[in-house]
Amino acid sequence: MRRSRLKYAGVAALLLFGGLTAGGTGQAAADDSPTATDAPASAGLLQAMQRDLGLSKAQAETRLAAERTATNLAPKARKAAGSAYGGSWFDAKSERLTVAVTSDAPASTVREVRATGATVRTVTHSARQLDAAKARIDRLSAPSGVSGWHVDPVANSVVVNVVEGERADNDVRSFVSRARATGPVTVETVAGAPRTFAAGTVGGDPYYTGNVRCSIGFSVHGGFITAGHCGQAGAGVRGWDGSYIGNFQGSSFPDNDYAWVNVGSGWWTVPVVLGWGTVSDQLVRGSAEAPVGSSICRSGSTTHWHCGAVLAKNETVNYSQGAVHQMTKTSVCAEPGDSGGSFISGDQAQGVTSGGWGNCSGGGETWFQPVNEILGRYGLTLHTA
């Protein structure tokens, strides 16, 4: 790289498709995960939320503050609910965390959950029962007409998503029948089948491996994390200027969709998510997991900044290459080349872009692999602001 570009463009090349995350080590568990900070949101993040979520600046600021509160509250409320816990989500209308508690829970448990500041909803099935039903569905072989399945705490059910027009297909009907036998299942129709968002080389943006362009997710000490479908372990990685960055040190796809790349040869890492000139660059200060219902934004090398909401967690996504587990679904759009890029909620890193359906002209849905899972798998530490 030319030294004249190293001051910041070299950093951009490394971050180039998404961002770098801040926040704790991969060993962080739910009860000791990084806490969302009260640092003010960047102007760029607020602008993206106004554009994509239809909010005013004041509404975006208020929502981010409420989501930080809900994020910090969620593990405490879950602990208070104990075995009666049925899931939780951020309610955008009330701007409060809602916690589902089973109807057989003692009154003292309900009081303890409410004492944390959460709203309580009574449900039939516990999160443990729903997770067990989903795990049984995970063992089934799904046809291409089934796009995925996840536990929906709001519906208190496992939701199986079927591609529009495929519900009458014999293989789909058979899968749905077997899925219903595992426990409480709801079937919903989606517009398209999921696909990964890697792209052939188009020039101008790193990183590249072979003839594939993907997006950098988050900086870790010694490298960056990204999507596993972008490259296999040992594959070389080139930056925006064609110079060598490093190699895939670990990669998993399908079953998972994550990888990490070491960084050297004059490249370095910084804790930033790029705004691509559309919004200002965003520092990342943690990796506290945002609840379902929270706003979330994505940075990628093709479509840059877009925002939406967290729709579901722990979803199994049925790609043509095979199922990928423990994914988070969002209403954010993405396109080829965005794979591996950053998902961020406020100033908290959430995960790396995997795939989805649709595009940023007509809309769609996108899934990401949670960041803390990747850190734990490879024993990595995020580079933080």
Side-chain angles (χ1 to χ4, degrees):
M1 292 180 292
R2 297 201 306 267
R3 289 295 169 185
S4 62
R5 302 188 68 171
L6 281 176
K7 182 177 180 181
Y8 192 78
V11 172
L14 178 28
L15 303 185
L16 119 135
F17 303 113
L20 313 190
T21 290
T25 66
Q27 287 72 30
D31 288 342
D32 59 359
S33 58
T35 300
T37 72
D38 293 325
S42 71
L45 179 59
L46 294 173
Q47 290 165 9
M49 291 180 68
Q50 291 173 70
R51 180 195 66 199
D52 293 339
L53 299 179
L55 304 174
S56 67
K57 180 180 179 182
Q59 288 172 329
E61 290 175 331
T62 299
R63 178 158 174 171
L64 285 172
E67 289 175 349
R68 281 195 295 268
T69 299
T71 297
N72 292 335
L73 183 63
K76 301 173 187 176
R78 177 168 188 160
K79 184 175 181 180
S83 61
Y85 180 72
S88 65
W89 61 94
F90 177 79
D91 187 326
K93 291 184 178 179
S94 67
E95 295 189 330
R96 296 182 64 186
L97 181 75
T98 298
V99 176
V101 177
T102 55
S103 56
D104 59 356
S108 58
T109 297
V110 176
R111 286 195 298 270
E112 288 179 21
V113 175
R114 286 195 173 120
T116 67
T119 299
V120 174
R121 178 184 292 183
T122 302
V123 296
T124 302
H125 308 288
S126 70
R128 181 175 297 179
Q129 291 171 323
L130 296 176
D131 287 343
K134 179 186 174 295
R136 288 190 284 271
I137 299 175
D138 282 344
R139 292 192 285 271
L140 303 177
S141 177
S144 60
V146 176
S147 70
W149 50 95
H150 66 274
V151 170
D152 184 346
V154 181
N156 195 229
S157 174
V158 179
V159 173
V160 174
N161 294 125
V162 175
V163 177
E164 189 174 9
E166 297 291 330
R167 192 160 182 169
D169 178 83
N170 287 336
D171 290 338
V172 171
R173 293 175 64 183
S174 175
F175 179 88
V176 168
S177 177
R178 286 178 290 154
R180 290 188 188 280
T182 68
V185 166
T186 302
V187 179
E188 295 183 357
T189 301
V190 295
R195 60 191 174 97
T196 56
F197 286 129
T201 300
V202 298
D205 287 330
Y207 68 95
Y208 301 98
T209 177
N211 67 341
V212 171
R213 170 170 60 86
C214 280
S215 298
I216 289 170
F218 295 95
S219 282
V220 296
H221 290 289
F224 64 83
I225 57 175
T226 187
H229 69 263
C230 291
Q232 297 181 345
V237 173
R238 293 171 285 117
W240 58 269
D241 62 350
S243 67
Y244 172 76
I245 293 178
N247 295 79
F248 279 84
Q249 299 297 299
S251 179
S252 179
F253 180 79
D255 188 29
N256 307 291
D257 193 5
Y258 49 60
W260 83 280
V261 175
N262 68 328
V263 168
S265 302
W267 295 81
W268 66 89
T269 63
V270 293
V272 174
V273 173
L274 286 184
W276 294 98
T278 304
V279 299
S280 57
D281 297 341
Q282 176 71 45
L283 289 175
V284 185
R285 297 183 173 92
S287 57
E289 185 178 339
V292 169
S294 299
S295 61
I296 194 165
C297 297
R298 179 192 56 72
S299 179
S301 64
T302 299
T303 59
H304 303 169
W305 269 93
H306 286 277
C307 298
V310 178
L311 300 179
K313 295 185 179 182
N314 192 23
E315 177 152 5
T316 299
V317 180
N318 189 35
Y319 291 128
S320 61
Q321 301 94 327
V324 176
H325 303 93
Q326 297 179 326
M327 301 270 269
T328 298
K329 180 164 68 173
T330 76
S331 62
V332 187
C333 67
E335 295 181 8
D338 287 327
S339 279
S342 323
F343 265 93
I344 184 169
S345 181
D347 58 9
Q348 301 294 303
Q350 298 298 309
V352 300
T353 303
S354 174
W357 61 267
N359 55 51
C360 289
S361 297
E365 294 176 338
T366 303
W367 288 267
F368 67 79
Q369 189 90 66
V371 64
N372 289 326
E373 178 187 356
I374 306 171
L375 299 177
R377 168 63 179 83
Y378 294 118
L380 301 169
T381 302
L382 283 165
H383 186 171
T384 67

